[in-house]
Amino acid sequence: MTNTMSTRVAILGSGPAGLTAAIYAARAGLSPIVIQGIQPGGQLTTTTDVENYPGFRDVIQGPWLMEEMQAQAEHVGTRMVWDHISAVDLKSRPIRLTGDSGTQYFADTLIIATGAQAKWLNLPSEEHMKGRGASACATCDGFFYRGKRVAVIGGGNTAVEEALYLTNHSHDVTLIHRRDSLRAEKILQDRLFANSHIKIIWDSEVTEFVGGGEPEALIGLDIKNRLTGEVSRIDVEGAFVAIGHKPATELFDGQLKLDSDGYLEVETGTTKTSIPGVFACGDVMDKIYRQAVTAAGTGCMAALDAEKYLAAQEFEALAAE
């Protein structure tokens, strides 16, 4: 027999947005279920030092922060479920979700907090070298390149932060950017330019991840100068792609309105999507800020919006009797 679970509020995703939504929904007596997905805890579980989350004087660790958020959510009445949703029917009432486990979830409201995943360059050689020197997370894999030459590809906040982080492990870090100036915040740029262990290659893009040795591992990158067309090679043993993120919205394509970049569209000033009773929060709907604190803030908004929606539905049902 197929297992079924019913809830007033189902939350997809367990990062700062999803867990904050859970805390608020649970304290409102809505007994939410959080379906954690393929990356429990979200992107902060792959981050080490966190120094910009309010309330902590000293640097804290990302995984620890997410463990505390989950513990708080459970403490106030949230049920955590280990499953991955493979299908949704947002037009049915209650909303129906199908998990990889085979479980059917039925929810009066849905809060989507599925986040975003790192983008890659989509080079065949990059795909081949994943796990052999090519990575999209310096804080996850930087330790394995202690004392080795590494490169970061990109020019935004993520790229600069990862380059700075890698200097904890390597004294030879190269940042490769396709333009002649960075898009990162000024404070991060100042730190980057002041760090003697980081050099920058401007106006250039990676054309090949070069492997070698036995067993095969990354030994270099072929780089093309976008102004001159000249191709050169640098010797590196680790390359970290930091060129942005892709929102995890494939599940909702064709059911909810998405913007041109694939992010869920919400009504301005709210977390309401194009379907009543379905709300979105965190990086899945925010392509501008993408911070833990803003994700948590929108998670709070989503829970409050869901609570108001449910209260209005109950009032209408009573009035119709």
Side-chain angles (χ1 to χ4, degrees), residues 6-88:
S6 296
T7 181
R8 303 194 72 192
V9 181
I11 301 170
L12 298 187
S14 54
L19 292 178
T20 302
I23 291 167
Y24 273 79
R27 294 187 72 251
L30 300 177
S31 302
I33 292 175
V34 171
I35 304 169
Q36 301 198 64
I38 59 176
Q39 189 177 24
Q43 293 184 71
L44 270 186
T45 58
T46 64
T47 301
T48 51
D49 293 349
V50 176
E51 61 180 357
N52 57 4
Y53 199 85
F56 300 96
R57 179 186 309 178
D58 298 321
V59 173
I60 58 173
Q61 301 298 297
W64 174 85
L65 179 61
M66 299 319 302
E67 289 173 4
E68 291 297 300
M69 282 191 183
Q70 178 174 330
Q72 183 181 5
E74 291 178 304
H75 177 72
V76 293
T78 299
R79 181 172 181 178
M80 307 295 297
V81 176
W82 295 82
D83 204 350
H84 177 256
I85 298 301
S86 55
V88 297

Side-chain angles (χ1 to χ4, degrees), residues 11-265:
I11 301 170
L12 298 187
S14 54
L19 292 178
T20 302
I23 291 167
Y24 273 79
R27 294 187 72 251
L30 300 177
S31 302
I33 292 175
V34 171
I35 304 169
Q36 301 198 64
I38 59 176
Q39 189 177 24
Q43 293 184 71
L44 270 186
T45 58
T46 64
T47 301
T48 51
D49 293 349
V50 176
E51 61 180 357
N52 57 4
Y53 199 85
F56 300 96
R57 179 186 309 178
D58 298 321
V59 173
I60 58 173
Q61 301 298 297
W64 174 85
L65 179 61
M66 299 319 302
E67 289 173 4
E68 291 297 300
M69 282 191 183
Q70 178 174 330
Q72 183 181 5
E74 291 178 304
H75 177 72
V76 293
T78 299
R79 181 172 181 178
M80 307 295 297
V81 176
W82 295 82
D83 204 350
H84 177 256
I85 298 301
S86 55
V88 297
D89 183 355
L90 303 181
K91 295 181 180 179
S92 65
R93 286 296 180 269
I95 296 165
R96 185 174 65 204
L97 306 96
T98 303
D100 284 347
S101 65
T103 301
Q104 295 278 331
Y105 303 89
F106 296 93
D108 296 328
T109 59
L110 174 64
I111 295 176
I112 301 169
T114 48
Q117 298 296 320
K119 290 182 178 180
W120 293 84
L121 299 175
N122 296 321
L123 297 171
S125 59
E126 173 192 57
E127 181 66 29
H128 179 67
M129 296 310 299
K130 285 182 181 178
R132 306 177 187 181
S135 171
C137 181
T139 52
C140 308
D141 302 328
F143 176 82
F144 299 109
Y145 301 93
R146 184 178 293 273
K148 299 180 179 180
R149 295 184 296 267
V150 296
V152 176
I153 303 160
N157 283 353
T158 300
V160 173
E161 288 171 347
E162 296 212 339
L164 289 167
Y165 170 76
L166 285 167
T167 59
N168 294 321
H169 303 297
S170 170
H171 295 302
D172 191 344
V173 179
T174 301
L175 182 71
I176 304 166
H177 186 40
R178 64 195 309 270
R179 298 183 177 88
D180 61 0
S181 62
L182 300 174
R183 294 174 286 109
E185 297 173 0
K186 186 178 184 303
I187 187 172
L188 291 174
Q189 293 193 41
D190 290 343
R191 292 178 185 176
L192 182 83
F193 297 142
N195 195 309
S196 61
H197 300 306
I198 301 174
K199 54 181 175 290
I200 305 174
I201 298 178
W202 301 103
D203 296 311
S204 299
E205 56 190 12
V206 174
T207 59
E208 189 81 10
F209 288 69
V210 182
E214 185 62 41
E216 187 180 19
L218 186 72
I219 61 171
L221 296 172
D222 284 348
I223 300 171
K224 179 180 180 180
N225 185 288
R226 301 179 72 241
L227 301 180
T228 66
E230 179 184 358
V231 176
S232 59
R233 178 172 296 180
I234 63 170
D235 297 328
V236 296
E237 295 162 275
F240 299 86
V241 181
I243 57 172
H245 295 81
K246 179 182 179 182
T249 55
E250 295 88 350
L251 193 61
F252 314 105
D253 191 14
Q255 297 195 64
L256 292 171
K257 288 184 179 179
L258 308 178
D259 70 11
S260 58
D261 296 314
Y263 288 80
L264 287 174
E265 288 190 354

